[in-house]
Amino acid sequence: MLAGTGAIVPMFFLPLRQIEAARTWRTQTCTVLSSEVVDHGDTHSIGVRFVYQVDGHPFESDRYSFETGSSSGYAGKAEVVARLPPGAAVTCYVNPQAPHEAVIHRDRYATLWLGLFPLVFVFAGLGLLVMTWRKPRPPSSVAGSSKPALSATGLTLLQPESTPGLRLGVAIVLALFWNGIISVFLLDVVAQWQKGNRPWFDSLFLSPFVLIGLGFVGFVFHSALALRNPRPRLALDPPLLTLGETAYLEWTIDGAVTRLHELTITLEGREEATYVRGDKRRTERLVFHRQQIHGRPAGSVDQQGTARTGNARFELPADSMHSFAGSYNKIVWAIKVNGSIARWPDLDETFPVAVEPRRPSTFTKRQA
C-alpha cells in the first residue's frame, strides 16, 4: 500500500497540481529556438526550447508540458513538433512568481491517467490489511458447542493445494501485468481519438486484448469474493494411502456452512502427461478414477449446519495406479471438496494425497 501511495504522488498528483496551478500563469508570446521528437527506444517525447521576456529580462525554457516521462505514439508527437518550427511565435504560460518556469501546453495530457495505475497496489494492500486486522467472527456452532475440532489422535491434517489468498494474489499479479502493458497502448489510442484522428485498425486490434484484461479484473473480484467462502479442514488416517485398503477421513467446515446448498467430497486420481510438439510444451490431464466419499444433494444443508463436521471410511481401488512422478508422466491423487453457493463463487478445494502400491499378499499356498 505504501509503495502504491509513494508512486502515485509523483506520477499523478504532483503533475495534476502543476496543471491546475498553471491556469493562473501569465499568457505571453514566446519564440521557438528548436523542436524535435526525442526517441527513447520504444517511446518518444517532445523536445522543445523557446525564449521569452519578463520585465525586459530574457528567459529560456525547455518544457512543452508537465508530462514527466515519455510514451508510445510517434505520429501525434510529430504533429506537435510540426506546429513548432524554429523561429515561430507561440503562446506560452509563465509563472509570475517564478519567471524561469514556463510551459507551452498547460492542459491535461492523455498519459496523466496512467499515473493512477498504482491505485491497484493501494487498494490491494489496503484490502489485505483490512483482512489481517479484522477480528475473526466465530462460526455458528451445533447445539451451542464451540468451534468444532478435528480429532488429532492418529490423524494427519491435510494441506490444501492452494489457498484463496494465494489465488487472489496470483489474480492480482496477472491483472496488473496484463493491464499495465495494455494500458500504455490504450491511452495512446484514446489520445488519437481525442485529437480527431480515426485509428480504427488500432482500436479493433486492441479490443480483444482489452477484453482479456477485463476478464483478469473479473478474476480478481471473483477470487476476492471467494475469501468469504467456508473453509474445509481434512484429516486422514493413515497419512499414506494404499491401493486395495481402507482409509478413514474426518472433516470440519469452518465459516458460514449454512450458505452451502450442496457439499461433496470426492477421491480423484488423474494422469498428467507432458510432451513437446515443435517448440511448444503441453500437459494433458486425464481423470481415470473418481470416487465419492461424501455427498449431500442440493438443499440438504440445514440452518443448524449439520454438514459442519463428518467422517467416512472409504476403500481405494485395488486395480488402480499408485502415485508416481516421472520426467514426463505423473499419477496424482487428491481429495476434492466442492460446494455450491447461490449467487457466489462456489467452494472448490483440492487436498493432494499420496497413494502407495498394493501390498503383496502374505499368504502362502500351504496357509491357504
Side-chain angles (χ1 to χ4, degrees):
M1 186 183 69
L2 292 177
T5 303
I8 199 173
V9 169
M11 292 177 61
F12 180 78
F13 288 109
L14 289 182
L16 182 62
R17 180 182 177 184
Q18 291 177 316
I19 291 172
E20 295 302 321
R23 298 187 183 279
T24 62
W25 288 8
R26 178 192 303 174
T27 302
Q28 67 179 66
T29 302
C30 303
T31 303
V32 177
L33 296 179
S34 63
S35 62
E36 63 176 339
V37 178
V38 182
D39 187 3
H40 300 278
D42 295 332
T43 59
H44 305 84
S45 63
I46 298 174
V48 62
R49 291 175 55 246
F50 56 93
V51 293
Y52 56 96
Q53 288 191 357
V54 177
D55 298 331
H57 300 284
F59 291 90
E60 182 177 325
S61 177
D62 60 356
R63 171 172 284 184
Y64 172 75
S65 68
F66 292 105
E67 186 173 7
T68 56
S70 57
S71 60
S72 60
Y74 177 86
K77 298 176 178 62
E79 292 178 4
V80 174
V81 170
R83 295 195 297 266
L84 300 173
V90 298
T91 299
C92 65
Y93 306 94
V94 181
N95 186 353
Q97 306 298 327
H100 62 279
E101 294 183 8
V103 67
I104 294 178
H105 182 76
R106 64 177 178 180
D107 297 330
R108 297 174 185 176
Y109 46 90
T111 55
L112 174 66
W113 307 110
L114 186 61
L116 291 175
F117 182 72
L119 275 178
V120 179
F121 294 94
V122 176
F123 291 143
L126 183 61
L128 292 174
L129 284 175
V130 170
M131 289 187 295
T132 302
W133 290 336
R134 183 172 52 193
K135 184 178 180 180
R137 181 176 57 184
S140 57
S141 56
V142 180
S145 62
S146 59
K147 180 179 177 179
L150 294 170
S151 333
T153 307
L155 298 182
T156 300
L157 191 65
L158 299 180
Q159 298 299 321
E161 188 175 56
S162 64
T163 63
L166 177 61
R167 289 193 287 270
L168 175 60
V170 172
I172 292 175
V173 170
L174 289 175
L176 290 177
F177 177 78
W178 183 271
N179 290 298
I181 296 176
I182 297 302
S183 62
V184 176
F185 302 97
L186 180 62
L187 289 173
D188 181 64
V189 172
V190 171
Q192 294 297 322
W193 282 99
Q194 291 176 341
K195 293 177 181 179
N197 298 330
R198 297 291 184 268
W200 289 106
F201 176 79
D202 293 343
S203 301
L204 294 175
F205 178 80
L206 200 61
S207 295
F209 297 97
V210 174
L211 293 177
I212 294 175
L214 294 176
F216 281 129
V217 173
F219 182 36
V220 171
F221 283 102
H222 183 277
S223 302
L225 293 176
L227 292 175
R228 300 288 294 171
N229 278 353
R231 297 292 301 276
R233 291 187 294 140
L234 274 60
L236 189 64
D237 181 41
L240 181 61
L241 304 180
T242 304
L243 294 176
E245 297 187 4
T246 301
Y248 174 77
L249 179 70
E250 189 172 305
W251 65 86
T252 182
I253 310 295
D254 299 334
V257 69
T258 54
R259 298 171 59 202
L260 293 172
H261 294 275
E262 183 180 1
L263 178 67
T264 59
I265 302 178
T266 308
L267 175 67
E268 182 180 283
R270 71 176 184 270
E271 178 184 6
E272 297 182 1
T274 302
Y275 60 93
V276 178
R277 177 176 296 173
D279 57 348
K280 296 182 179 180
R281 185 182 182 93
R282 297 185 57 184
T283 299
E284 290 189 355
R285 296 172 175 83
L286 174 66
V287 176
F288 59 84
H289 179 78
R290 185 178 283 113
Q291 173 183 347
Q292 182 170 296
I293 300 174
H294 169 81
R296 285 180 177 269
S300 65
V301 180
D302 56 28
Q303 294 302 315
Q304 283 71 40
T306 56
R308 180 174 299 282
T309 61
N311 59 78
R313 292 188 179 275
F314 61 97
E315 183 177 350
L316 277 78
D319 58 348
S320 191
M321 181 64 183
H322 58 82
S323 299
F324 172 78
S327 301
Y328 298 97
N329 296 84
K330 290 182 180 180
I331 300 296
V332 180
W333 288 85
I335 296 177
K336 306 192 71 172
V337 181
N338 298 97
S340 62
I341 304 176
R343 299 179 296 276
W344 200 265
D346 291 334
L347 173 65
D348 185 6
E349 297 287 345
T350 301
F351 297 81
V353 294
V355 177
E356 62 179 359
R358 186 179 183 182
R359 303 180 192 275
S361 176
T362 57
F363 289 96
T364 62
K365 291 183 179 180
R366 181 175 299 178
Q367 289 173 326

